[in-house]
C-alpha cells in the first residue's frame, strides 16, 4: 500500500517561510489529488490545502489563503506546500494525504497518510 512521506518542517520565526514536501514511498506515481492537513496540540486535524491530480484546481482554507501555495512536480513525483508569512497559529504537525472521495476538507475522505512533519512558529 502506498504511503506518503512528509518532510521540510522545522522551527521558524513569525514572518518566515517553509516549504513542505510530500512524496510517495517507493516509485509509485502520485497521480491523484493530494491534500495537506495540520494538527495543533489538543486540536482536531484541519484542512489546509488541496491540489487536483492535474494541478488545475487548488483549494485553501481561509486561515492560510494568500500565504500558502500548493503545487506539484510530476517529474519529481512530489507535492509541495510553500508557506510564507508564517504565524504562531500555523504551528502543528503537517500531514499530506491521498484524496479518495467526498468533501475535500474532511480528513476522513483521505488515505495513505504519512507520519507528518512538525512546524513550529515562534513569536
Amino acid at each position: 500500500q502506498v504511503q506518503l512521506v512528509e518532510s521540510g518542517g522545522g522551527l521558524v520565526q513569525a514572518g518566515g517561510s517553509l516549504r513542505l514536501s510530500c512524496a510517495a514511498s517507493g516509485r509509485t506515481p502520485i497521480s491523484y489529488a493530494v491534500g495537506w492537513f495540520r494538527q495543533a496540540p489538543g486540536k482536531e486535524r484541519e484542512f489546509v490545502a488541496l491540489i487536483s491530480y492535474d494541478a488545475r484546481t487548488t483549494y485553501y482554507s481561509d486561515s492560510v489563503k494568500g500565504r500558502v501555495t500548493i503545487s506539484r512536480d510530476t517529474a519529481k513525483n512530489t507535492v509541495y506546500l510553500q508557506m510564507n508569512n508564517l504565524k504562531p497559529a500555523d504551528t502543528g504537525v503537517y500531514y499530506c494525504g491521498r484524496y479518495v472521495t467526498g468533501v475535500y476538507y474532511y480528513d476522513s475522505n483521505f488515505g495513505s497518510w504519512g507520519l507528518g512533519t512538525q512546524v513550529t512558529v515562534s513569536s
Side-chain angles (χ1 to χ4, degrees), residues 48-102:
V48 176
L50 177 137
I51 188 166
S52 61
Y53 74 97
D54 59 3
R56 291 183 178 182
T57 303
T58 57
Y59 296 106
Y60 298 94
S61 68
D62 288 342
S63 62
V64 304
K65 198 172 295 182
R67 301 187 296 117
V68 167
T69 302
I70 189 170
S71 62
R72 63 194 308 156
D73 185 329
T74 302
K76 295 183 178 180
N77 203 32
T78 301
V79 173
Y80 300 101
L81 190 71
Q82 176 67 45
M83 303 190 294
N84 301 321
N85 190 22
L86 283 162
K87 304 175 181 181
D90 295 316
T91 294
V93 179
Y94 282 68
Y95 302 89
C96 62
R98 173 180 181 168
Y99 172 72
V100 178
T101 187

Side-chain angles (χ1 to χ4, degrees), residues 2 9-10 13 18-19 30 36-37 43 48-49 51-52 61 66-67 69 72 83 86 91 109 113 115 118 123:
V2 174
Q13 289 186 333
L18 282 174
R19 188 178 77 161
I30 303 180
W36 282 95
F37 286 72
K43 294 187 176 181
V48 176
I51 188 166
S52 61
S61 68
R67 301 187 296 117
T69 302
R72 63 194 308 156
M83 303 190 294
L86 283 162
T91 294
N109 294 329
W113 295 104
L115 297 179
Q118 175 72 45
S123 57

Side-chain angles (χ1 to χ4, degrees), residues 6 8 14 20 22 25 27 36 38 40 43 53 61 73 82 112:
E6 305 90 345
L20 307 184
C22 172
S25 60
R27 297 183 178 182
W36 282 95
R38 67 188 181 189
K43 294 187 176 181
Y53 74 97
S61 68
D73 185 329
Q82 176 67 45
S112 302

Side-chain angles (χ1 to χ4, degrees), residues 1 7 24 32 41-42 58 75 119:
Q1 182 177 356
S7 62
Y32 40 80
T58 57
V119 171

